[in-house]
Amino acid sequence: MSEPITPAEPNEPQLPAKPRNNRRTAIIAGAAAAVVVIAGIAFAVTSGGDDDDDTAAGVAGTAQTVSIGVADASQAYWKTYQDLAKKELNVDVKLVNFSDYSQPNPALKQVQTDLNQFQHIQYLADYNVTSKDTIQPIGTTAVYPLPLYSTKYTSPEDIPAKAKIAIPNDTINEARGLLVLQAAGLLTLKDGGGAFSSVDDIDTSKIEVVPLDASQTAGAVKSGSTAASIVNKNFATDAGLKTDEAIYQDDPSSDVAAPYVNIFAARAEDKDNPTYLKLAELYHDPSVEKGVQEANGGTAVFRDTSAADLQAELAKVEEQARAAK
């Protein structure tokens, strides 16, 4: 994770900083992925991994407990989700909150949680390749568009040649930021670019790309030191950038955005667990989606992709991650 850069407001998951090519990196949600960082890290070991029919969700009797690692447990929609899980599936959902985005996947691997929901496909792919893990996506939540902001210009076409545009310089958001600028017609990337492109992959460019720490991109555009900036939503909100100052954003329904779909993730041996699959589906209950939109200012674009398709997408992005390394 992830938008899970995501994460981190209740927004796309902001992902932990990870060094690459000696470049300065930044923490981004998401996957992915749309989160508020809450202090305090708890760990829980529960009985959620049992597939026995007698404990499957929806069966009368003692409720099954499933722990889910998240980074925004204080958000009201999770209470809605927990109530629905108890009512509809007879599952007690225990939220395990993390303030450090490097921890939810290792906690899942170590069976300290049963699922997690904080990251997007690209973050999970990078984690699996780096850690030699096999965590799998089993359901989607939403995509959060990555905007290009400007206080001077109203469209990418208005930006003059050789103008400076800032992008986040961390592994996750640098690639996505470059893809946004390519879609906006401001540059081209070698072979069309991908989920692990860097500034070294720029083929042609109308503008000067300025990689900055993700926390500095909003200030750069507000101060006028750049003509425009790619800014993650939490930093845009903190800086007071208005929605109408976003002059472009990526298309959440496009193939390019597929790696940034935020997901529920499980250990590989649990990817077909019927209870876990139902819990992932439950996120798309209208009452939960309504709460998610309220928490994110209406920016969430919900995606409902099958587990099999998500796992195929993960495999593809993992290949890109291996090639990038």
Side-chain angles (χ1 to χ4, degrees), residues 26 28 58 65 73 75 81 89 145 156 170 179 185 188 202 226 244 247 279 322:
I28 72 160
T65 298
Q75 289 301 306
Y81 178 88
L89 304 176
D170 60 279
L179 289 170
T188 62
I202 296 174
T226 61
D244 60 5
I247 62 173
L279 284 169
R322 292 186 187 96

Side-chain angles (χ1 to χ4, degrees), residues 3-69:
E3 127 147 330
I5 58 171
T6 223
E9 89 265 0
N11 299 313
E12 178 178 4
Q14 292 195 321
L15 307 174
K18 186 170 80 63
R20 186 188 67 175
N21 297 334
N22 297 320
R23 293 184 303 116
R24 186 177 182 184
T25 60
I27 292 177
I28 72 160
V35 291
V36 174
V37 174
I38 307 298
I41 300 176
F43 293 93
V45 179
T46 74
S47 60
D50 187 358
D51 285 338
D52 187 86
D53 290 341
D54 291 336
T55 60
V59 176
T62 303
Q64 181 180 0
T65 298
V66 176
S67 61
I68 304 177

Side-chain angles (χ1 to χ4, degrees), residues 30-312:
V35 291
V36 174
V37 174
I38 307 298
I41 300 176
F43 293 93
V45 179
T46 74
S47 60
D50 187 358
D51 285 338
D52 187 86
D53 290 341
D54 291 336
T55 60
V59 176
T62 303
Q64 181 180 0
T65 298
V66 176
S67 61
I68 304 177
V70 300
D72 60 343
S74 66
Q75 289 301 306
Y77 61 80
W78 280 121
K79 179 61 167 61
T80 302
Y81 178 88
Q82 288 175 301
D83 291 344
L84 276 171
K86 180 67 173 180
K87 177 182 178 181
E88 302 292 335
L89 304 176
N90 195 27
V91 172
D92 288 325
V93 170
K94 183 172 184 177
L95 299 176
V96 181
N97 201 77
F98 295 88
S99 61
D100 181 344
Y101 293 92
S102 68
Q103 295 192 11
N105 283 331
L108 180 60
K109 178 180 181 178
Q110 296 162 14
V111 200
Q112 294 171 328
T113 59
D114 301 311
L115 301 171
N116 67 42
Q117 196 282 297
F118 79 102
Q119 65 192 325
H120 51 48
I121 289 284
Q122 196 226 22
Y123 179 67
L124 177 57
D126 190 63
Y127 165 80
N128 276 350
V129 170
T130 301
S131 304
K132 296 181 172 56
D133 207 344
T134 57
I135 291 173
Q136 295 294 305
I138 64 167
T140 57
T141 60
V143 181
Y144 295 84
L146 185 62
L148 175 66
Y149 287 92
S150 179
T151 58
K152 295 180 179 179
Y153 305 103
T154 58
S155 73
E157 292 82 4
D158 296 333
I159 296 175
K162 299 183 180 179
K164 294 181 179 180
I165 296 183
I167 63 172
N169 68 355
D170 60 279
T171 300
I172 304 299
N173 281 310
E174 179 172 323
R176 192 178 181 188
L178 290 169
L179 289 170
V180 170
L181 296 182
Q182 178 172 254
L186 295 171
L187 56 77
T188 62
L189 298 169
K190 296 173 184 175
D191 300 320
F196 292 90
S197 292
S198 73
V199 291
D200 295 333
D201 296 310
I202 296 174
D203 192 12
T204 65
S205 183
K206 170 185 174 182
I207 45 86
E208 178 183 347
V209 177
V210 182
L212 296 175
D213 187 283
S215 64
Q216 298 176 353
T217 57
V221 70
K222 288 199 70 175
S223 69
S225 61
T226 61
S229 290
I230 296 287
V231 186
N232 297 96
K233 188 175 184 294
N234 63 308
F235 293 122
T237 300
D238 291 346
L241 287 171
K242 300 176 182 178
T243 302
D244 60 5
E245 290 173 327
I247 62 173
Y248 193 81
Q249 62 185 24
D250 51 2
D251 178 5
S253 64
S254 68
D255 290 341
V256 171
Y260 307 105
V261 175
N262 291 285
I263 56 170
F264 278 84
R267 291 178 293 277
E269 60 267 28
D270 292 329
K271 66 182 179 65
D272 298 318
N273 182 302
T275 298
Y276 296 172
L277 292 169
K278 288 176 183 177
L279 284 169
E281 292 173 3
L282 193 65
Y283 193 92
H284 293 286
D285 183 273
S287 63
V288 178
E289 288 192 347
K290 179 182 178 183
V292 172
Q293 288 291 29
E294 289 173 351
N296 289 279
T299 60
V301 179
F302 296 104
R303 294 279 291 263
D304 190 5
T305 307
S306 72
D309 286 347
L310 288 172
Q311 289 154 20

